[in-house]
Amino acid sequence: MMYISVSERTREIGIRLAIGATPKNILFQFLLEAVLLTGIGGLIGFGIGGGLAWLISLFLPFRAVIGVGSFLLAFCVSTFVGILFGILPAKNAANKNLIDILR
């Protein structure tokens, strides 16, 4: 999805480069977007999983317990995935040629 985001936003990248943004700024923007999206997705997934565990525990004779460690693990894994799969599209966006983008 980040590849699609970069290809659809080439005009925005070109305008940012034209007004003085450095490739490092572009890299940071796309990497931050990837990390935020996957971090929020991890929080939503944890909420849904916790809600389902609570709902299932209503019908079972034992309680489902979700610890802080599982919360941190879910959040860290989703954030790591965002960093891992956000770096390459972010580098591609940061290294685009200004003239080719604005053409």
Side-chain angles (χ1 to χ4, degrees), residues 41-95:
L43 291 174
I44 291 170
F46 182 77
I48 291 172
L52 286 175
W54 174 77
L55 186 65
I56 290 171
S57 70
L58 291 177
F59 300 106
L60 295 177
F62 54 88
R63 247 178 87 114
V65 177
I66 300 174
V68 175
S70 61
F71 171 76
L72 290 175
L73 180 66
F75 184 74
C76 289
V77 167
S78 65
T79 304
F80 175 73
V81 168
I83 291 170
L84 185 67
F85 291 106
I87 285 177
L88 191 59
K91 280 186 179 180
N92 289 343
N95 294 329

Side-chain angles (χ1 to χ4, degrees), residues 4-73:
I4 294 170
S5 177
V6 168
S7 65
E8 287 179 351
R9 296 169 61 187
T10 54
R11 188 163 184 86
E12 174 193 339
I13 295 167
I15 291 170
R16 289 195 66 202
L17 287 171
I19 61 172
T22 63
K24 188 175 181 179
N25 297 130
I26 305 294
L27 177 74
F28 181 73
Q29 175 190 350
F30 279 96
L31 196 55
L32 182 68
E33 286 178 14
V35 169
L36 283 175
L37 284 173
T38 54
I40 291 170
L43 291 174
I44 291 170
F46 182 77
I48 291 172
L52 286 175
W54 174 77
L55 186 65
I56 290 171
S57 70
L58 291 177
F59 300 106
L60 295 177
F62 54 88
R63 247 178 87 114
V65 177
I66 300 174
V68 175
S70 61
F71 171 76
L72 290 175
L73 180 66

